[in-house]
Amino acid sequence: MLTVENERQLSPNDVDLYLFHEGTLFEGYKVFGAHYEHVDNEDGFRFTVWAPNARSVSVVGDFNDWDAGKHKMKPVKQSGVWTSFIEGIGVEERYKFAIETASGSVVLKSDPYAFYAETRPNTASLTCRIDGYKWHDSKWMRQRDKKDEYHRPMVIYECHLGSWKKKEDGKLLTYRELADELVDYAFENGFTHIELMPIMEHPYDRSWGYQITGYFAPTSRFGSPQDFMYFVDTCHKRGIGVILDWTPAHFCRDTHGLGKFDGTPLYEPCDPKLADRPQWGTYNFDFSKNEVVSFLISNARYWMDVYHVEGFRIDAVSSMIYLNHNNDLPFDLKNKYGGYENLEAIDFIKKLNEAVFIEFPSALMIAEEATDFPMVSKPTDAGGLGFNYKWNMGWVHDILRYMSLEPSERRYHHNLITFSMLYAYSENFILSFSHDELVYGKRSLLNKMPGDEWQRFASLRVLYGFFMTHPGKKLLFMGSEFAQFDEWKDLEQLDWKLLDFPMHHAFHDYAVAFNHFYQETSCLWRLDHEEEGFEWIDADNSNQSIISFIRKGKRKGDYCVIVCNFTPNVYHHFKLGVPASGPYLEMFNSDAETFGGTGQCNRKSVESIDEPFHNHPYCVETTIPPLGISILMKETKKRKTMKAYDQV
């Protein structure tokens, strides 16, 4: 951990400089930026910045009336790095770097490594000490390193802090207030992790944090760095992991940020064709510069070291590995071999993952990657990119397209719900109903469903059930757990009043019950990434738009039989192959009245029939609910009292 008691010289030494220019200074946050020091019996802050093409650099702030002539920084051995110690500066002092460019003009820049920043619309960096917080998550941290996330349940709650909930006067909740409300809510609703849309400092609310100016500063919109530590600490005390959205692909062009930092393209490529990202109005990072690689990898390790987060969902990976992905330039970019891959970005990604996992073996490194680039979630020594998870965006696209069809049309598009199993084990997948699917006119999950109110809610229940039982970990965007009616409105809080309406309340009960049932049912997650964890019973029943399959756990006999019906027809005495004889108990049924359904449930156990069917030695006859999912498990005394729809 970073503390002043480390007794290390914070100004760059020869080793620091060598590693920085080599692209291997993975703890650059201990060297660059503004650090408290006690020098010659004087307290103050040492400032260090990389600006290789500057004529001169000064630290300016309220403490010197923003006069660039008062605190000039010294160049360090012609390394392009500048440093200075200023005595008498306290915490939360505003500062910037005044950089004299080669042309003689002076630009004011925020500190790229600042730990804290002014609240927008102000743009100065703030001096800060991040070593004083007393953590209470030592037990969590010890256990985290022993956890095998691949074989554990994972239901992630994706959240935008600015619009999850607001105060009565419309102001934002603070990190500490969110710790009191959001963390309990996530725990009680059966989520294992909270994923935060980027909380790194950013100037524009409606960029949602994806266009960053302060990569090392938790946004001051919600409080101080210590307040954010409290939020993470509270999550850990409640058994909730924290994942941050992270954007190493590009950064915003605001004049106080990284763009043309020393008067020249520094963090971005020198070639404008490679630097510009027209679609987003941003600059790409230049992964060919070792100093940029050191900056970004240091940033990833910083959040895990200083703030104890579990890992990252890395945004826009496809835009990193392909030169022309999401690029509106009127021509194609090519690498030195004539291909379309960004070779430097691919090398960076591999190096990033290696550097993170060597220090944090239990880290979650999740790629939002939308193409069929191979081996994204495979180790680098096996030829992969080194992530340990990838969003399954193909499954999300297919299932949402399928569910938007009228039930009578679904029989003609049956492959949309079965195709995913042809590639389900090619990567370690997370199924993600994220914010990307619920904005810009795409409508909420509920509003994607066709039909009247009952059909839409029933379709949403079977969709959620298929989502929770399909192989792969899970991610759900906030509000979807109570069937938010409108698509996400980033300037407003979620429509919490919908919980006053019976159908929304019932759906919320359903989602919460399913989340808890999922966590308690090991066969739904124990072998998520191994082929022996899944077996089709019948994948070909397109005429009735019904699929049936088995999810298996590690232990013999640990399995459940799952049937999904994507039409409003009810089927009694529906014959279904099962692997073993004996009574089967329906443990979950989305059509239970308590969930807003019609009550077409199997209240009594279903006895197997000694007759081969569906390539299984036995079969059962069961009721299949309309637009519903039914989950059967072998009956035991314990399970008789555990029916999920009887627990609400």
Side-chain angles (χ1 to χ4, degrees), residues 95-334:
Y95 74 97
K96 283 187 177 181
F97 295 118
I99 298 176
E100 182 185 8
T101 70
S103 66
S105 62
V106 176
V107 293
L108 294 182
K109 290 289 188 177
S110 300
D111 183 354
Y113 287 83
F115 300 140
Y116 196 18
E118 282 190 293
T119 304
R120 48 82 175 105
N122 298 322
T123 60
S125 302
L126 297 173
T127 56
C128 176
R129 294 186 63 174
I130 55 175
D131 57 342
Y133 182 80
K134 185 177 180 181
W135 288 88
H136 302 87
D137 65 346
S138 57
K139 181 179 179 181
W140 168 274
M141 297 294 281
R142 288 194 305 270
Q143 292 178 343
R144 184 178 76 176
D145 291 337
K146 300 176 183 178
K147 288 180 180 179
D148 176 6
E149 294 290 355
Y150 301 105
H151 300 104
R152 291 178 58 82
M154 185 185 295
V155 195
I156 303 167
Y157 190 56
E158 186 190 25
C159 191
H160 178 256
L161 293 182
S163 58
W164 181 72
K165 187 180 287 188
K166 295 189 177 183
K167 300 177 184 179
E168 290 186 3
D169 60 3
K171 292 182 179 179
L172 302 176
L173 296 176
T174 67
Y175 290 123
R176 290 179 181 265
E177 290 166 336
L178 288 160
D180 292 338
E181 294 194 45
L182 172 58
V183 178
D184 282 348
Y185 180 83
F187 175 81
E188 292 164 2
N189 279 257
F191 293 98
T192 62
H193 295 74
I194 295 173
E195 179 180 313
L196 301 179
M197 292 168 65
I199 53 85
M200 298 80 181
E201 194 58 81
H202 52 283
Y204 182 45
D205 287 0
R206 305 207 71 181
S207 78
W208 310 333
Y210 290 101
Q211 296 185 13
I212 297 169
T213 50
Y215 272 80
F216 290 81
T219 177
S220 55
R221 287 167 173 80
F222 311 109
S224 70
Q226 288 75 16
D227 293 334
F228 184 61
M229 292 175 189
Y230 177 85
F231 175 86
V232 177
D233 204 8
T234 305
C235 286
H236 289 172
K237 286 189 287 185
R238 291 293 270 162
I240 301 290
V242 179
I243 301 167
L244 302 183
D245 269 17
W246 187 50
T247 311
H250 62 116
F251 56 90
C252 67
R253 300 179 184 226
D254 290 54
T255 55
H256 67 285
L258 298 177
K260 295 183 171 60
F261 188 78
D262 61 359
T264 68
L266 191 62
Y267 288 87
E268 69 272 31
C270 297
D271 184 344
K273 297 191 297 295
L274 297 174
D276 290 339
R277 179 67 64 171
Q279 183 185 30
W280 299 325
T282 57
Y283 288 129
N284 295 314
F285 276 106
D286 186 352
F287 303 109
S288 71
K289 293 174 183 165
N290 289 336
E291 296 84 357
V292 173
V293 171
S294 287
F295 172 81
L296 288 171
I297 295 179
S298 290
N299 187 237
R301 297 242 304 224
Y302 163 82
W303 289 102
M304 302 193 73
D305 176 16
V306 175
Y307 289 96
H308 294 195
V309 304
E310 274 58 60
F312 306 95
R313 174 265 197 182
I314 291 84
D315 183 60
V317 171
S318 302
S319 297
M320 297 170 68
I321 61 180
Y322 287 111
L323 291 166
N324 301 293
H325 188 85
N326 278 344
N327 201 334
D328 293 338
L329 293 172
F331 47 82
D332 283 343
L333 301 171
K334 295 183 180 181

Side-chain angles (χ1 to χ4, degrees), residues 4 35-47 85-91 93 129:
V4 292
H35 292 267
Y36 166 81
E37 284 188 13
H38 185 76
V39 177
D40 297 331
N41 295 319
E42 295 287 349
D43 292 332
F45 276 81
R46 179 172 297 281
F47 299 85
F85 174 77
I86 305 177
E87 62 187 43
I89 293 181
V91 296
E93 294 267 14
R129 294 186 63 174

